[in-house]
Amino acid sequence: MSEHRIAIVLAAKLAGDVTWAYQLSRQILDFVVSPLPVAGLYVLFRAGFDPKASPT
């Protein structure tokens, strides 16, 4: 995972004075690495695939 982070940050830095690209890459990485999206997806998948929750 750290290789991807380094590549994205390096690409944003090499793009020149494009601070918006660097800031965007940092926000995306921070969101993906945080446990909140994983926990949210877990809850959604459990609710969607629970046999007791189906209307039949």
Side-chain angles (χ1 to χ4, degrees), residues 22-52:
Y22 177 74
Q23 292 297 329
L24 180 63
S25 67
R26 290 297 307 159
Q27 288 178 357
I28 291 171
L29 286 170
D30 289 341
F31 178 75
V32 169
V33 174
S34 73
L36 183 63
V38 174
L41 286 175
Y42 176 77
V43 169
L44 285 176
F45 284 143
R46 291 290 294 168
F49 296 122
D50 190 11
K52 294 178 276 187

